[in-house]
Amino acid sequence: MDDAYTVGDPDGLSPLLKEIRDAVARELHAQLALRAEHLDLADVPEVAYQVTLGVDRVLTGRLTPPRRTSAGR
């Protein structure tokens, strides 16, 4: 069992998985809105590509250290 269940996290997802889930949900919502709530089979590759870009933004954002500014020194 994942430790998340023992610390009161009901969905049992790590913070990274929550961010990925949220990015996927946001992109699917946006794609369905663009396509009038209808997704054709031919649209799946483009939707999958857009979802992948969203997940990449999550992962890239987590891997990139925060930039230091002159004010933050």
Side-chain angles (χ1 to χ4, degrees):
M1 179 187 279
D2 190 337
D3 288 341
Y5 284 106
T6 62
V7 293
D9 188 2
D11 61 7
L13 297 176
S14 70
L16 174 60
L17 289 178
K18 286 180 189 177
E19 288 184 50
I20 292 171
R21 176 203 58 202
D22 293 347
V24 170
R26 280 191 302 273
E27 190 58 46
L28 288 175
H29 184 268
Q31 290 294 320
L32 286 169
L34 287 172
R35 301 167 195 280
E37 303 291 324
H38 180 79
L39 188 62
D40 291 321
L41 190 56
D43 296 330
V44 170
E46 175 61 24
V47 172
Y49 176 76
Q50 294 300 325
V51 168
T52 302
L53 291 178
V55 170
D56 184 56
R57 284 189 294 273
V58 169
L59 295 176
T60 302
R62 291 179 68 77
L63 297 176
T64 304
R67 290 184 173 207
R68 294 183 63 177
T69 62
S70 58
R73 290 184 188 180

